Amino acid sequence: MKKVIITTGGTGGHIYPALSIGEGLKKRGVDVLFVGSSSRMEKNIVPEAGFKFIGLEIYPPRTIKNIFKSITSFFKGIKVVSKEKPDAIIGFGNYISVPILVAGVLLRKKIYLQEQNANLGFTNKFFYKMAKKTFLAFEKTYDDIPLKYQDKFLVTGNPLREEIYSVSEAVERERLKLEKDEKLLLITGGSLGAKDINEAVLDHWEEIFEEKKIRVYWATGEKNFDDINKRMENSKIKMTDIIKPYFNNMINIMAAADLIVCRAGALTLSEVIELEKPSILIPYNSIKVGQFANAKILEENEGALIYSNSEASLGIGKALELIGNEEELTKMRIKVRNLKKKNAVEEIMDSLDIWRN
Ligand SMILES: CC(=O)N[C@H]1[C@@H](OP(=O)(O)OP(=O)(O)OC[C@H]2O[C@@H](n3ccc(=O)[nH]c3=O)[C@H](O)[C@@H]2O)O[C@H](CO)[C@@H](O)[C@@H]1O
Protein backbone atom coordinates (compact mmCIF):
# COMPACT_ATOMS: atom_id res chain seq x y z
CA MET A 1 0.00 0.00 0.00
CA LYS A 2 1.32 3.42 -0.93
CA LYS A 3 1.72 5.91 1.87
CA VAL A 4 1.71 9.73 1.72
CA ILE A 5 2.31 12.22 4.52
CA ILE A 6 0.44 15.49 4.14
CA THR A 7 1.72 18.35 6.25
CA THR A 8 -0.44 21.40 6.76
CA GLY A 9 -2.07 23.65 9.30
CA GLY A 10 -2.88 27.04 10.69
CA THR A 11 -5.99 28.22 8.87
CA GLY A 12 -8.76 26.74 6.74
CA GLY A 13 -7.03 28.09 3.65
CA HIS A 14 -4.10 25.73 4.21
CA ILE A 15 -6.08 22.81 5.61
CA TYR A 16 -9.03 22.41 3.21
CA PRO A 17 -6.95 21.95 0.03
CA ALA A 18 -4.86 19.38 1.90
CA LEU A 19 -8.02 17.52 2.94
CA SER A 20 -9.24 17.51 -0.66
CA ILE A 21 -6.01 15.86 -1.77
CA GLY A 22 -6.20 13.49 1.22
CA GLU A 23 -9.71 12.40 0.18
CA GLY A 24 -8.59 11.87 -3.41
CA LEU A 25 -5.59 9.76 -2.34
CA LYS A 26 -7.72 7.73 0.03
CA LYS A 27 -10.08 6.92 -2.83
CA ARG A 28 -7.11 5.68 -4.86
CA GLY A 29 -6.20 3.34 -1.98
CA VAL A 30 -3.33 5.37 -0.53
CA ASP A 31 -2.66 5.34 3.21
CA VAL A 32 -2.66 9.03 4.24
CA LEU A 33 -1.21 10.52 7.41
CA PHE A 34 -1.59 14.20 8.28
CA VAL A 35 0.98 16.06 10.37
CA GLY A 36 0.19 19.55 11.66
CA SER A 37 0.44 21.51 14.86
CA SER A 38 -1.02 20.33 18.16
CA SER A 39 -2.60 23.71 18.88
CA ARG A 40 -4.23 25.04 15.68
CA MET A 41 -7.46 24.32 13.76
CA GLU A 42 -6.13 21.16 12.08
CA LYS A 43 -5.99 19.26 15.36
CA ASN A 44 -9.82 19.07 15.24
CA ILE A 45 -10.67 19.45 11.55
CA VAL A 46 -8.37 16.68 10.28
CA PRO A 47 -9.39 13.85 12.66
CA GLU A 48 -13.06 14.87 12.24
CA ALA A 49 -12.58 14.35 8.50
CA GLY A 50 -11.53 10.78 9.28
CA PHE A 51 -7.75 11.00 8.81
CA LYS A 52 -4.88 9.90 11.04
CA PHE A 53 -3.29 12.98 12.53
CA ILE A 54 -0.09 13.76 14.43
CA GLY A 55 0.15 17.19 16.09
CA LEU A 56 3.62 18.65 16.62
CA GLU A 57 4.45 21.39 19.10
CA ILE A 58 5.31 24.03 16.59
CA TYR A 59 4.74 27.74 17.09
CA PRO A 60 4.98 30.79 14.79
CA PRO A 61 8.69 31.64 14.53
CA ARG A 62 8.11 35.22 15.67
CA THR A 63 10.05 35.11 18.95
CA ILE A 64 13.21 33.34 20.14
CA LYS A 65 11.08 31.65 22.81
CA ASN A 66 8.76 30.17 20.18
CA ILE A 67 11.69 28.96 18.09
CA PHE A 68 13.13 27.17 21.16
CA LYS A 69 9.75 25.71 22.00
CA SER A 70 9.49 24.33 18.44
CA ILE A 71 12.88 22.61 18.34
CA THR A 72 11.61 19.23 19.59
CA SER A 73 9.13 19.16 16.70
CA PHE A 74 12.06 18.81 14.28
CA PHE A 75 13.30 15.67 16.06
CA LYS A 76 9.73 14.37 16.22
CA GLY A 77 9.37 15.08 12.48
CA ILE A 78 12.43 12.96 11.67
CA LYS A 79 11.09 10.18 13.88
CA VAL A 80 7.70 10.26 12.14
CA VAL A 81 9.13 10.23 8.62
CA SER A 82 11.66 7.46 9.34
CA LYS A 83 9.00 5.32 11.02
CA GLU A 84 6.26 5.85 8.42
CA LYS A 85 8.52 5.57 5.35
CA PRO A 86 6.14 7.53 3.07
CA ASP A 87 6.34 7.25 -0.72
CA ALA A 88 5.91 11.02 -0.84
CA ILE A 89 5.37 14.06 1.37
CA ILE A 90 3.10 16.92 0.32
CA GLY A 91 3.44 20.29 2.08
CA PHE A 92 0.75 22.96 1.88
CA GLY A 93 2.82 25.97 2.91
CA ASN A 94 2.95 27.66 6.30
CA TYR A 95 5.63 27.33 9.01
CA ILE A 96 3.72 24.32 10.38
CA SER A 97 4.89 22.18 7.47
CA VAL A 98 8.59 22.95 8.07
CA PRO A 99 9.59 20.08 10.46
CA ILE A 100 8.21 17.35 8.18
CA LEU A 101 9.69 18.98 5.07
CA VAL A 102 13.09 19.21 6.75
CA ALA A 103 12.80 15.55 7.73
CA GLY A 104 11.78 14.70 4.16
CA VAL A 105 14.85 16.42 2.74
CA LEU A 106 17.20 14.79 5.26
CA LEU A 107 15.71 11.34 4.67
CA ARG A 108 15.63 11.86 0.88
CA LYS A 109 11.91 11.49 0.41
CA LYS A 110 9.97 12.72 -2.63
CA ILE A 111 8.62 16.12 -1.71
CA TYR A 112 5.75 17.99 -3.35
CA LEU A 113 4.39 21.41 -2.45
CA GLN A 114 1.13 23.21 -3.07
CA GLU A 115 0.84 26.99 -3.08
CA GLN A 116 -2.66 28.39 -2.65
CA ASN A 117 -1.79 32.05 -3.14
CA ALA A 118 -0.73 34.28 -6.02
CA ASN A 119 2.65 34.88 -4.35
CA LEU A 120 4.83 32.06 -3.06
CA GLY A 121 4.77 31.91 0.73
CA PHE A 122 7.94 31.83 2.79
CA THR A 123 8.01 28.07 3.39
CA ASN A 124 7.34 27.11 -0.22
CA LYS A 125 9.92 29.67 -1.39
CA PHE A 126 12.49 28.00 0.83
CA PHE A 127 11.72 24.41 -0.18
CA TYR A 128 10.75 24.48 -3.86
CA LYS A 129 14.27 23.82 -5.13
CA MET A 130 14.31 20.59 -3.11
CA ALA A 131 10.81 19.55 -4.19
CA LYS A 132 10.00 17.39 -7.20
CA LYS A 133 7.11 19.66 -8.12
CA THR A 134 5.21 22.63 -6.70
CA PHE A 135 1.56 22.88 -7.68
CA LEU A 136 0.30 26.41 -8.21
CA ALA A 137 -3.16 27.89 -8.02
CA PHE A 138 -2.47 30.87 -10.30
CA GLU A 139 -0.20 31.55 -13.32
CA LYS A 140 0.76 34.84 -11.66
CA THR A 141 3.09 32.96 -9.26
CA TYR A 142 5.57 32.36 -12.10
CA ASP A 143 6.57 36.03 -11.68
CA ASP A 144 8.23 34.99 -8.38
CA ILE A 145 10.27 32.15 -9.88
CA PRO A 146 13.61 32.37 -11.71
CA LEU A 147 13.37 31.00 -15.25
CA LYS A 148 15.70 28.05 -14.59
CA TYR A 149 13.32 26.64 -11.95
CA GLN A 150 10.04 27.23 -13.74
CA ASP A 151 9.68 23.64 -14.96
CA LYS A 152 9.54 22.54 -11.32
CA PHE A 153 6.09 24.16 -11.16
CA LEU A 154 2.68 23.25 -12.53
CA VAL A 155 -0.46 25.38 -12.50
CA THR A 156 -3.41 23.24 -11.44
CA GLY A 157 -5.64 25.66 -9.53
CA ASN A 158 -6.40 25.07 -5.86
CA PRO A 159 -7.67 21.67 -4.76
CA LEU A 160 -11.31 22.29 -3.86
CA ARG A 161 -13.93 20.33 -1.96
CA GLU A 162 -15.44 17.71 -4.24
CA GLU A 163 -19.02 18.91 -3.76
CA ILE A 164 -18.19 22.18 -5.53
CA TYR A 165 -18.24 20.34 -8.89
CA SER A 166 -21.79 19.11 -8.42
CA VAL A 167 -23.65 21.98 -6.69
CA SER A 168 -26.16 23.85 -8.77
CA GLU A 169 -27.27 27.44 -8.24
CA ALA A 170 -30.90 26.62 -9.04
CA VAL A 171 -31.05 23.68 -6.63
CA GLU A 172 -29.42 25.63 -3.81
CA ARG A 173 -31.71 28.65 -4.29
CA GLU A 174 -34.67 26.34 -4.18
CA ARG A 175 -33.35 24.68 -1.03
CA LEU A 176 -33.06 28.09 0.66
CA LYS A 177 -36.54 28.98 -0.58
CA LEU A 178 -35.33 32.20 -2.20
CA GLU A 179 -37.99 34.14 -4.09
CA LYS A 180 -37.25 34.69 -7.79
CA ASP A 181 -36.46 38.38 -7.28
CA GLU A 182 -34.80 37.94 -3.88
CA LYS A 183 -31.02 38.51 -3.82
CA LEU A 184 -28.61 36.59 -1.64
CA LEU A 185 -25.66 38.56 -0.30
CA LEU A 186 -23.00 36.39 1.34
CA ILE A 187 -20.52 38.07 3.68
CA THR A 188 -17.52 36.09 4.92
CA GLY A 189 -14.18 36.99 6.44
CA GLY A 190 -12.48 33.67 5.65
CA SER A 191 -11.93 30.79 8.03
CA LEU A 192 -11.16 33.02 11.01
CA GLY A 193 -13.65 35.83 10.30
CA ALA A 194 -12.70 39.47 9.71
CA LYS A 195 -13.34 42.06 12.40
CA ASP A 196 -13.16 45.06 10.06
CA ILE A 197 -15.63 43.56 7.61
CA ASN A 198 -17.96 42.81 10.53
CA GLU A 199 -17.74 46.42 11.73
CA ALA A 200 -18.57 47.62 8.23
CA VAL A 201 -21.63 45.37 8.12
CA LEU A 202 -22.78 46.78 11.46
CA ASP A 203 -22.38 50.33 10.02
CA HIS A 204 -24.88 49.40 7.30
CA TRP A 205 -27.18 47.13 9.26
CA GLU A 206 -30.26 49.41 9.25
CA GLU A 207 -29.97 49.84 5.49
CA ILE A 208 -29.64 46.06 5.11
CA PHE A 209 -32.76 45.57 7.23
CA GLU A 210 -34.70 47.99 5.02
CA GLU A 211 -33.75 46.12 1.82
CA LYS A 212 -36.59 43.62 1.82
CA LYS A 213 -35.38 41.91 -1.34
CA ILE A 214 -31.90 41.22 -0.02
CA ARG A 215 -31.24 38.22 2.16
CA VAL A 216 -27.93 38.25 4.02
CA TYR A 217 -25.84 35.25 5.04
CA TRP A 218 -23.07 36.55 7.29
CA ALA A 219 -20.25 34.43 8.72
CA THR A 220 -18.71 36.51 11.50
CA GLY A 221 -15.91 34.14 12.56
CA GLU A 222 -16.00 32.26 15.89
CA LYS A 223 -14.03 34.90 17.78
CA ASN A 224 -16.29 37.85 16.93
CA PHE A 225 -19.67 36.19 17.07
CA ASP A 226 -20.62 36.83 20.74
CA ASP A 227 -19.62 40.48 20.55
CA ILE A 228 -21.69 41.00 17.39
CA ASN A 229 -24.66 39.21 18.87
CA LYS A 230 -24.55 41.45 21.91
CA ARG A 231 -24.25 44.62 19.84
CA MET A 232 -27.16 43.58 17.66
CA GLU A 233 -29.49 42.82 20.56
CA ASN A 234 -31.62 45.90 19.87
CA SER A 235 -31.35 45.80 16.08
CA LYS A 236 -34.10 44.54 13.85
CA ILE A 237 -33.24 41.43 11.86
CA LYS A 238 -35.29 39.99 8.99
CA MET A 239 -36.43 36.41 9.64
CA THR A 240 -34.54 35.34 6.54
CA ASP A 241 -31.15 36.87 7.41
CA ILE A 242 -28.74 34.34 8.86
CA ILE A 243 -25.83 35.37 11.08
CA LYS A 244 -23.52 32.58 12.22
CA PRO A 245 -19.92 32.24 13.40
CA TYR A 246 -19.17 29.81 10.57
CA PHE A 247 -21.08 28.06 7.81
CA ASN A 248 -20.29 24.39 7.42
CA ASN A 249 -22.33 24.40 4.23
CA MET A 250 -20.40 27.34 2.76
CA ILE A 251 -20.24 25.85 -0.75
CA ASN A 252 -24.04 25.52 -0.89
CA ILE A 253 -24.56 29.11 0.25
CA MET A 254 -21.91 30.39 -2.16
CA ALA A 255 -23.61 28.52 -5.00
CA ALA A 256 -26.90 30.28 -4.22
CA ALA A 257 -25.34 33.74 -3.76
CA ASP A 258 -25.82 36.68 -6.15
CA LEU A 259 -22.85 38.56 -4.72
CA ILE A 260 -20.12 37.69 -2.24
CA VAL A 261 -18.29 40.11 0.02
CA CYS A 262 -15.16 38.49 1.39
CA ARG A 263 -11.50 38.70 2.29
CA ALA A 264 -9.14 37.54 -0.45
CA GLY A 265 -7.97 34.24 1.03
CA ALA A 266 -6.86 32.03 -1.83
CA LEU A 267 -9.31 29.21 -1.21
CA THR A 268 -12.31 31.49 -0.96
CA LEU A 269 -11.26 33.11 -4.24
CA SER A 270 -10.80 29.77 -6.00
CA GLU A 271 -14.30 28.82 -4.85
CA VAL A 272 -15.68 32.16 -6.05
CA ILE A 273 -14.05 31.49 -9.44
CA GLU A 274 -15.26 27.89 -9.70
CA LEU A 275 -18.83 28.97 -8.89
CA GLU A 276 -18.56 32.00 -11.24
CA LYS A 277 -19.63 34.55 -8.64
CA PRO A 278 -19.21 38.34 -8.68
CA SER A 279 -17.46 39.58 -5.56
CA ILE A 280 -16.36 42.56 -3.54
CA LEU A 281 -12.97 41.81 -2.07
CA ILE A 282 -11.59 43.40 1.09
CA PRO A 283 -8.10 41.86 1.38
CA TYR A 284 -6.49 41.32 4.78
CA ASN A 285 -4.13 44.27 5.14
CA SER A 286 -0.90 42.42 5.79
CA ILE A 287 1.55 42.45 2.90
CA LYS A 288 3.09 39.23 4.23
CA VAL A 289 -0.18 37.33 3.83
CA GLY A 290 -0.44 38.45 0.19
CA GLN A 291 -4.21 38.72 -0.14
CA PHE A 292 -3.97 41.90 -2.20
CA ALA A 293 -2.10 40.01 -4.93
CA ASN A 294 -4.78 37.30 -4.86
CA ALA A 295 -7.54 39.90 -5.18
CA LYS A 296 -5.76 41.64 -8.07
CA ILE A 297 -6.13 38.52 -10.23
CA LEU A 298 -9.91 38.83 -10.12
CA GLU A 299 -10.00 42.60 -10.29
CA GLU A 300 -7.70 42.77 -13.33
CA ASN A 301 -10.05 40.34 -15.01
CA GLU A 302 -13.00 42.63 -14.14
CA GLY A 303 -14.66 39.89 -12.11
CA ALA A 304 -14.41 41.65 -8.75
CA LEU A 305 -14.01 45.03 -7.09
CA ILE A 306 -11.36 45.64 -4.42
CA TYR A 307 -11.84 47.80 -1.34
CA SER A 308 -9.00 48.23 1.14
CA ASN A 309 -9.51 47.38 4.78
CA SER A 310 -10.01 51.04 5.70
CA GLU A 311 -12.64 51.28 2.96
CA ALA A 312 -14.55 48.22 4.19
CA SER A 313 -17.66 50.28 4.95
CA LEU A 314 -17.61 51.73 1.43
CA GLY A 315 -17.32 48.17 0.15
CA ILE A 316 -20.47 47.06 1.96
CA GLY A 317 -22.27 50.18 0.67
CA LYS A 318 -21.18 49.29 -2.87
CA ALA A 319 -22.36 45.70 -2.39
CA LEU A 320 -25.85 46.90 -1.46
CA GLU A 321 -25.95 49.02 -4.62
CA LEU A 322 -24.35 46.44 -6.95
CA ILE A 323 -26.58 43.57 -5.92
CA GLY A 324 -29.53 45.39 -7.50
CA ASN A 325 -27.73 45.81 -10.82
CA GLU A 326 -28.34 42.54 -12.65
CA GLU A 327 -26.55 43.69 -15.81
CA GLU A 328 -23.35 44.51 -13.95
CA LEU A 329 -23.49 41.25 -11.98
CA THR A 330 -23.86 39.25 -15.18
CA LYS A 331 -20.88 41.02 -16.76
CA MET A 332 -18.73 40.20 -13.73
CA ARG A 333 -19.90 36.59 -13.70
CA ILE A 334 -18.86 36.13 -17.34
CA LYS A 335 -15.42 37.61 -16.63
CA VAL A 336 -14.84 35.37 -13.62
CA ARG A 337 -15.57 32.33 -15.77
CA ASN A 338 -12.35 32.99 -17.74
CA LEU A 339 -10.30 32.21 -14.64
CA LYS A 340 -11.69 28.73 -14.09
CA LYS A 341 -9.34 25.75 -13.86
CA LYS A 342 -9.73 22.00 -14.24
CA ASN A 343 -10.15 19.73 -11.22
CA ALA A 344 -6.88 20.32 -9.34
CA VAL A 345 -7.23 17.27 -7.11
CA GLU A 346 -7.13 14.87 -10.05
CA GLU A 347 -4.34 16.76 -11.79
CA ILE A 348 -2.14 16.87 -8.70
CA MET A 349 -2.66 13.19 -7.94
CA ASP A 350 -1.85 12.20 -11.51
CA SER A 351 1.38 14.19 -11.26
CA LEU A 352 2.68 12.41 -8.16
CA ASP A 353 5.48 9.99 -8.92
CA ILE A 354 4.24 7.27 -6.58
CA TRP A 355 2.05 5.07 -8.76
CA ARG A 356 4.70 2.87 -10.34
CA ASN A 357 6.14 0.04 -8.28
C1 LIG B 1 -5.17 35.68 7.71
C2 LIG B 1 -4.53 34.65 6.87
O1 LIG B 1 -3.42 34.23 7.10
N1 LIG B 1 -5.24 34.25 5.81
C3 LIG B 1 -4.74 33.25 4.88
C4 LIG B 1 -5.52 31.97 5.06
O2 LIG B 1 -6.86 32.39 4.90
P1 LIG B 1 -8.19 31.63 5.31
O3 LIG B 1 -7.92 30.43 6.11
O4 LIG B 1 -9.16 32.62 5.78
O5 LIG B 1 -8.52 31.12 3.90
P2 LIG B 1 -9.28 31.04 2.64
O6 LIG B 1 -10.15 32.19 2.37
O7 LIG B 1 -8.27 30.70 1.61
O8 LIG B 1 -10.17 29.73 2.90
C5 LIG B 1 -11.19 29.70 3.83
C6 LIG B 1 -11.91 28.40 3.65
O9 LIG B 1 -12.83 28.29 4.70
C7 LIG B 1 -14.12 28.08 4.19
N2 LIG B 1 -15.11 28.69 5.10
C8 LIG B 1 -14.94 29.96 5.54
C9 LIG B 1 -15.89 30.54 6.37
C10 LIG B 1 -17.03 29.77 6.73
O10 LIG B 1 -17.93 30.22 7.45
N3 LIG B 1 -17.15 28.51 6.25
C11 LIG B 1 -16.21 27.93 5.44
O11 LIG B 1 -16.36 26.78 5.03
C12 LIG B 1 -14.11 28.73 2.82
O12 LIG B 1 -15.14 28.21 2.02
C13 LIG B 1 -12.70 28.38 2.35
O13 LIG B 1 -12.67 27.07 1.82
O14 LIG B 1 -5.08 30.99 4.11
C14 LIG B 1 -5.20 31.37 2.72
C15 LIG B 1 -4.66 30.25 1.86
O15 LIG B 1 -3.30 30.04 2.09
C16 LIG B 1 -4.47 32.69 2.46
O16 LIG B 1 -4.74 33.11 1.14
C17 LIG B 1 -4.94 33.73 3.45
O17 LIG B 1 -4.23 34.93 3.22
Side-chain angles (χ1 to χ4, degrees):
M1 195 181 198
K2 301 288 178 195
K3 182 177 273 185
V4 169
I5 295 184
I6 290 180
T7 179
T8 186
T11 63
H14 293 279
I15 303 165
Y16 289 131
L19 285 176
S20 302
I21 294 292
E23 297 289 352
L25 289 171
K26 212 187 214 176
K27 275 197 198 133
R28 290 197 188 186
V30 176
D31 183 13
V32 181
L33 168 68
F34 275 77
V35 184
S37 108
S38 54
S39 52
R40 305 284 300 266
M41 281 169 92
E42 62 274 19
K43 76 175 198 301
N44 300 322
I45 297 184
V46 173
E48 277 164 18
F51 287 99
K52 288 182 280 177
F53 175 75
I54 295 177
L56 302 177
E57 290 205 29
I58 170 138
Y59 303 94
R62 284 190 211 114
T63 59
I64 300 284
K65 197 173 154 206
N66 274 4
I67 293 172
F68 268 108
K69 270 172 38 187
S70 302
I71 281 176
T72 51
S73 67
F74 286 85
F75 294 106
K76 186 93 192 281
I78 293 174
K79 222 167 127 187
V80 169
V81 174
S82 47
K83 178 170 167 253
E84 300 289 338
K85 301 188 178 48
D87 297 281
I89 293 173
I90 316 177
F92 285 78
N94 197 321
Y95 70 91
I96 291 168
S97 59
V98 172
I100 289 293
L101 293 177
V102 167
V105 171
L106 293 176
L107 298 168
R108 296 177 178 276
K109 296 293 169 191
K110 287 174 192 156
I111 290 175
Y112 295 89
L113 304 171
Q114 197 266 333
E115 177 56 63
Q116 299 93 49
N117 295 285
N119 295 335
L120 271 186
F122 177 80
T123 303
N124 285 347
K125 214 177 233 170
F126 186 80
F127 282 98
Y128 76 76
K129 290 179 194 157
M130 294 166 257
K132 273 184 89 75
K133 200 68 116 212
T134 298
F135 304 108
L136 301 177
F138 304 107
E139 284 80 3
K140 164 90 184 50
T141 316
Y142 279 114
D143 298 351
D144 279 4
I145 306 160
L147 203 58
K148 65 175 177 176
Y149 291 112
Q150 293 202 349
D151 63 354
K152 287 177 87 62
F153 290 79
L154 180 69
V155 179
T156 60
N158 273 315
L160 302 176
R161 291 179 253 186
E162 203 183 357
E163 70 244 38
I164 204 162
Y165 298 104
S166 54
V167 283
S168 120
E169 178 169 320
V171 172
E172 296 306 325
R173 288 184 70 88
E174 171 104 42
R175 205 198 303 269
L176 297 178
K177 299 194 166 49
L178 280 151
E179 305 277 341
K180 225 180 163 69
D181 59 347
E182 196 179 0
K183 300 286 181 189
L184 195 157
L185 174 63
L186 168 63
I187 303 167
T188 162
S191 64
L192 307 174
K195 197 162 183 297
D196 296 313
I197 295 183
N198 291 339
E199 292 300 325
V201 178
L202 289 174
D203 284 350
H204 286 272
W205 191 258
E206 267 181 44
E207 216 179 311
I208 291 173
F209 176 76
E210 294 303 329
E211 297 280 359
K212 299 293 175 223
K213 287 290 172 200
I214 298 180
R215 189 191 293 195
V216 172
Y217 275 68
W218 175 14
T220 63
E222 303 281 351
K223 228 165 81 186
N224 306 319
F225 183 70
D226 290 340
D227 173 54
I228 287 168
N229 241 353
K230 210 176 279 163
R231 289 165 64 190
M232 290 199 50
E233 250 164 27
N234 299 320
S235 308
K236 293 184 203 147
I237 303 176
K238 290 195 287 289
M239 288 285 286
T240 46
D241 288 336
I242 307 283
I243 308 171
K244 282 199 171 175
Y246 193 85
F247 292 121
N248 286 322
N249 58 342
M250 181 57 105
I251 298 298
N252 306 71
I253 302 169
M254 269 192 179
D258 291 280
L259 179 64
I260 300 174
V261 176
C262 55
R263 282 269 188 244
L267 255 282
T268 302
L269 294 197
S270 291
E271 290 160 356
V272 161
I273 292 169
E274 182 56 40
L275 295 170
E276 304 174 10
K277 298 293 170 179
S279 57
I280 290 196
L281 307 176
I282 306 172
Y284 183 57
N285 61 347
S286 144
I287 297 177
K288 210 175 80 204
V289 168
Q291 290 198 356
F292 194 74
N294 294 343
K296 269 295 204 202
I297 294 174
L298 275 95
E299 191 208 33
E300 279 168 5
N301 221 60
E302 296 171 23
L305 301 173
I306 301 183
Y307 285 82
S308 71
N309 211 38
S310 55
E311 300 166 335
S313 189
L314 278 177
I316 300 290
K318 179 69 187 178
L320 295 175
E321 175 202 319
L322 183 62
I323 201 164
N325 187 339
E326 194 51 52
E327 199 183 318
E328 203 50 43
L329 291 178
T330 307
K331 268 193 210 158
M332 290 170 84
R333 214 173 286 143
I334 292 168
K335 297 287 185 164
V336 173
R337 205 173 288 159
N338 296 329
L339 294 167
K340 273 173 88 157
K341 298 273 186 305
K342 285 192 231 149
N343 184 329
V345 174
E346 295 299 324
E347 224 182 325
I348 289 175
M349 286 196 305
D350 288 344
S351 307
L352 300 178
D353 180 20
I354 60 169
W355 306 112
R356 281 169 296 154
N357 279 322

